[in-house]
Amino acid sequence: MAGCATAYYLAKDGVAVTLLERFDLNTLASGSNAGSLHAQIPHDPYARMGDSWAERYRPAVGLLAKSIEMWRDLPRELDADLEVKLGGGLLVARTAADMRAIEAKARHERAQGLDVRLFDRADIAREAPYVSESMIGGAFCPDEGKASPFAATLAYARAATALGVTIHRQTTVLGIEREGQGFAVVTDKGRFAAPRIVNAAGADAGRVAAMLSIDLGDVQGFPIQVSATEKVGPLIPHLLYCASDRLTLKQNGVGSLLIGGGWEADIGPNGTPVANLDSLRRNMAVALSVVPALSNISIVRTWAAIVNGTEDWMPILGEIPREPGFFLNFFPWMGFTAGPIAARIMANQVQGKPAPFDIDMTPFLPRG
Ligand SMILES: Cc1cc2nc3c(=O)[nH]c(=O)nc-3n(C[C@H](O)[C@H](O)[C@H](O)COP(=O)(O)OP(=O)(O)OC[C@H]3O[C@@H](n4cnc5c(N)ncnc54)[C@H](O)[C@@H]3O)c2cc1C
């Protein structure tokens, strides 16, 4: 998505763009994700890394919220049904300690201007009767929701193509060299000259940067998995999370429940990600403990894909200081939600324009 969306916003501003894609479009993380539109600080890294991390991560919440604002209008802008539904996100707590952590996290989110409402047991019973009575409270953020990972990147690609972007599929970038003021990009389909490059290679961004001897540190890929149930009638209008263990749960447009939360998958013998049975069991146990009605609903599919990640979860968006003209569009773990804003930011940066919406880019700029 990072590549197609950046190409779209650049072309919209009249910049000539060529997009190089190793496989086909939308075949990796952007087309295999769970489709959640997140704005809250993710609870799992908060539980591990605490308030000092949340303090540093806070500006990224501003990006996510801004991106969701863009998602609201994206179906009209791209003239496509992206199944955007913003029914709100509900993070539930099983214990008093979880609830205290949720309250502390909400202070960081509110400081960033996010609308986060604390729920007690009665609020949950009223607003989310499908949630187990064992959940004692939670936090509700009305801005969160979901969209279709099958549709969004392809809609950006179509709109970009209509604006003149050339897309070369099945074209692998093998090397990048300095050529005059710009670059030569060496691929298995020949050389391409480019005055500027945006590295939007997701989990492979580190490998692409290394072609110019740039070290992106712990930028890497992690195999994780998501499961889908059979279709059922309307049950869950929210994006649901649980503070006591990893869970994301929502119902998509056709009625399937999508259950995930970043559970580890494996890498199979041919190097592609494959589902891990133990993760599946544990993920389903958490889901069942939060939504008892799942006991009568079958899982029909579990799939695995590689998510682009870093340890500190911080987005890296901007020009590499020692390689002028070489930009990085890397939003770890939640790059589907952030796709629109990260791409809009990137298009402005490539053109030397200030960041959109007066965003202070300092926390996100690449170092080194
Ligand atoms: C299972 C799963 C669930 C997720 N759930 C969510 C969610 O619910 N909400 C959310 O916000 N985020 C979610 N994410 C994260 C999100 O999907 C990613 O952060 C986002 O899609 C990254 O987009 P991207 O365009 O940077 O990377 P990708 O979609 O991985 O695209 C990178 C592209 O670069 C191409 N490429 C790489 N190397 C080369 C090369 N050398 N030459 C040419 N092309 C190359 C690849 O082929 C690929 O098409 C999830 C991820 C996974 C895997």
Side-chain angles (χ1 to χ4, degrees):
M1 182 178 211
C4 291
T6 304
Y8 167 75
Y9 291 115
L10 280 168
K12 197 177 165 194
D13 289 354
V15 179
V17 183
T18 299
L19 181 74
L20 305 176
E21 166 53 51
R22 178 176 44 174
F23 302 127
D24 205 339
L25 298 176
N26 212 31
T27 51
L28 298 192
S30 299
S32 317
N33 66 63
S36 309
L37 298 181
H38 305 281
Q40 302 185 45
I41 294 175
H43 197 84
D44 173 46
Y46 177 66
R48 280 187 286 113
M49 295 186 271
D51 287 309
S52 58
W53 171 79
E55 197 82 44
R56 211 158 68 76
Y57 187 76
R58 240 151 67 170
V61 169
L63 290 192
L64 292 166
K66 200 45 92 180
S67 206
I68 292 177
E69 267 180 57
M70 292 176 73
W71 273 103
R72 283 182 200 277
D73 190 46
L74 211 53
R76 188 205 55 78
E77 165 134 22
L78 301 180
D79 191 21
D81 180 6
L82 306 180
E83 296 179 24
V84 177
K85 188 166 168 245
L86 299 170
L90 177 61
L91 168 65
V92 294
R94 195 189 304 280
T95 65
D98 286 345
M99 200 55 220
R100 280 194 297 278
I102 288 176
E103 285 164 10
K105 187 167 78 72
R107 284 196 281 278
H108 291 287
E109 292 157 345
R110 287 175 177 156
Q112 198 59 42
L114 201 66
D115 180 359
V116 178
R117 305 165 191 178
L118 294 176
F119 273 16
D120 61 16
R121 174 71 219 132
D123 295 324
I124 296 210
R126 189 183 60 250
E127 301 294 332
Y130 58 86
V131 167
S132 160
E133 286 177 6
S134 61
M135 299 296 145
I136 62 168
F140 181 70
C141 172
D143 299 320
E144 295 188 303
K146 65 165 193 69
S148 166
F150 305 128
T153 298
L154 298 179
Y156 267 124
R158 266 194 306 277
T161 307
L163 291 169
V165 171
T166 309
I167 299 179
H168 294 268
R169 295 167 166 84
Q170 313 293 342
T171 303
T172 303
V173 175
L174 301 171
I176 305 174
E177 298 161 9
R178 270 281 173 198
E179 197 170 71
Q181 296 296 307
F183 302 91
V185 180
V186 181
T187 78
D188 57 350
K189 301 283 166 61
R191 282 168 82 88
F192 293 81
R196 285 155 295 177
I197 292 177
V198 175
N199 174 356
D204 278 310
R207 270 186 277 277
V208 170
M211 294 173 188
L212 282 169
S213 303
I214 297 162
D215 180 1
L216 292 184
D218 70 345
V219 161
Q220 56 188 303
F222 298 85
I224 59 171
Q225 63 192 47
V226 184
S227 299
T229 69
E230 62 183 317
K231 296 173 194 171
V232 292
L235 176 65
I236 299 185
H238 307 117
L239 167 58
L240 185 68
Y241 316 86
C242 180
S244 63
D245 212 336
R246 286 170 292 163
L247 177 70
T248 62
L249 204 163
K250 74 194 86 66
Q251 191 159 19
N252 70 13
V254 296
S256 286
L257 302 168
L258 297 182
I259 307 174
W263 287 85
E264 297 81 2
D266 294 322
I267 296 295
N270 65 358
T272 55
V274 291
N276 174 295
L277 198 55
D278 184 52
S279 287
L280 175 62
R281 282 197 195 98
R282 291 165 61 202
N283 191 184
M284 293 312 117
V286 181
L288 199 54
S289 72
V290 179
V291 181
L294 287 174
S295 62
N296 296 319
I297 300 172
S298 300
I299 295 291
V300 293
R301 191 162 80 93
T302 299
W303 68 95
I306 308 275
V307 61
N308 54 318
T310 56
E311 280 303 316
D312 72 357
W313 287 58
M314 283 304 283
I316 314 175
L317 303 168
E319 191 172 25
I320 304 289
R322 70 165 184 77
E323 280 299 346
F326 188 78
F327 296 80
L328 179 63
N329 181 348
F330 184 87
F331 201 108
W333 304 107
M334 295 187 289
F336 182 68
T337 307
I341 190 66
R344 186 57 265 181
I345 287 171
M346 197 55 39
N348 279 25
Q349 292 203 353
V350 167
Q351 297 174 81
K353 294 179 180 173
F357 312 110
D358 289 330
I359 293 169
D360 174 9
M361 289 305 296
T362 317
F364 313 119
L365 293 175
R367 292 170 292 274

